[in-house]
Amino acid sequence: MNDLSIIIPVKKGESSWKQLLSQLESLKVASEIILIGPDFQDKSQGHIHFFHSSKGRAGKLNDGALKSSGKFLWFLHADSKIAESSLEIINASLKKNPNALYHFDLVFLSDGPSFIALNSLGANLRSKILKMPFGDQAFFLKKNTFINLGLFDEEAPYGEDHLLVWRAHQKSIPVESCGCPVYTSARKYQKHGWLKTSLTHIFLTYKQALPELVKTILKEDTGAIAIFVKTPGHSPLKTRLAETIGKEKAEEFFRLSLKATEALVIEAIKKSKGQLNAYWAVSEPEALAHPLWNSFYTLSQNGGSLGERLDHVYKTLLARHKRVHLIGADLPHLPYEALIKADQELGGAKDFVMGKTEDGGFYLFGGRKAITKETWTSVTYSTEQTAAELEALLKASNFTYLSVEFDVDYEEDLRKIASTQFKTDFLPEQKNILNWIKNFLS
């Protein structure tokens, strides 16, 4: 299970994580383990990583997931106890269906009131019949599935785990039990009273569930973002930039730009509460499983000219989603709000949305209508007339536009980024590449 990352959020002053970590180590778990909480400083001890975070549980879980390197995620509560067969069961489940959201069967420990066995029975019946497991049932799933569900909702006053399950239902992602127990503390039932705590949980659960059920029945439309990328080691990267700053520095820029693009797309998915779905449109078919592409779904560009590749990706995703947006990974300074705005525009009366670049091209194209292959291949790309030609072919009267931006193709574009006063709060990954550019130029 080298592709598995185990995420454990820890509250301030909590110590139960030590027993869980000891249990994982006794099972000789080689998977990456991430503990994240306010009492930690950022450090690593082999495959165990500690990160500082003062956020709530949803924020800690999200930060841990985004810091992970695994293809699959396993979310554990710090006071959980696991069965010796847990990893074998996880492995078998993910081989059976890697695209499902899995949970364990819940068993409360004997540190609670005598009636607590009824809560275990109720939780497992609810999970089996209604497909409504909770986070203490140790969810595990693919990282790209988790991200495209919009991550845990950090704005929810409670039940961020419950909301994630409903988003899975709304996107037709199977929610399944792996058939293995996970054990959790029942102390809160002892402390606050069994009846009061049980009734409160039931009330809050169904108060949250009813509006989500309506969304599930209505099946809201979702949009897709495809990021056109090449894979290091498989294709030359940023060749025009490399001519002046060198191959090594150009690849360094590419990797940082990739991280910034990934971060701004993830932020747009979070803010849209899972209404956007992200895909890496990978140039090389043999590189679809590369670890760089773990965060999003992948599809091949399918080769050919740029027009043919745009046609293939757009057509493929329009068959799955109501709206499709095409971008590159060389605009690391783009505000994530631009992606949300583009999708909202297509949710209205417009058929197409475009973000033009200063050199006559476009950094974003989105649409909700079919486009012929002939249209895509009739455009002359990488010229001052590229955007205008596509507008003319698609009858520009039904377009809406984002702000004009510039992408990074040459060294002077790096200087332009360094000297521009941006009207946005950059994400950490965007700040990282901005600092890299300033240090490089200095």
Side-chain angles (χ1 to χ4, degrees), residues 191-211:
K191 180 178 179 181
H192 301 293
W194 174 80
L195 183 61
K196 179 182 178 182
T197 305
S198 299
L199 290 176
T200 299
H201 283 183
I202 291 170
F203 171 75
L204 292 175
T205 295
Y206 292 97
K207 177 184 177 183
Q208 194 175 59
L210 288 175

Side-chain angles (χ1 to χ4, degrees), residues 140-191:
F140 61 96
L141 71 169
K142 258 179 136 176
K143 184 175 183 177
N144 58 23
T145 300
F146 173 68
I147 289 175
N148 278 301
L149 288 175
L151 297 81
F152 290 108
D153 190 342
E154 297 178 28
E155 298 175 356
Y158 68 92
E160 69 283 343
D161 45 1
H162 183 216
L163 290 174
L164 187 79
V165 170
W166 278 106
R167 288 183 188 172
H169 290 315
Q170 288 152 15
K171 291 194 173 187
S172 300
I173 292 170
V175 177
E176 303 290 347
S177 168
C178 68
C180 184
V182 64
Y183 306 88
T184 192
S185 173
R187 289 190 303 270
K188 65 181 178 181
Y189 289 88
Q190 188 73 45
K191 180 178 179 181

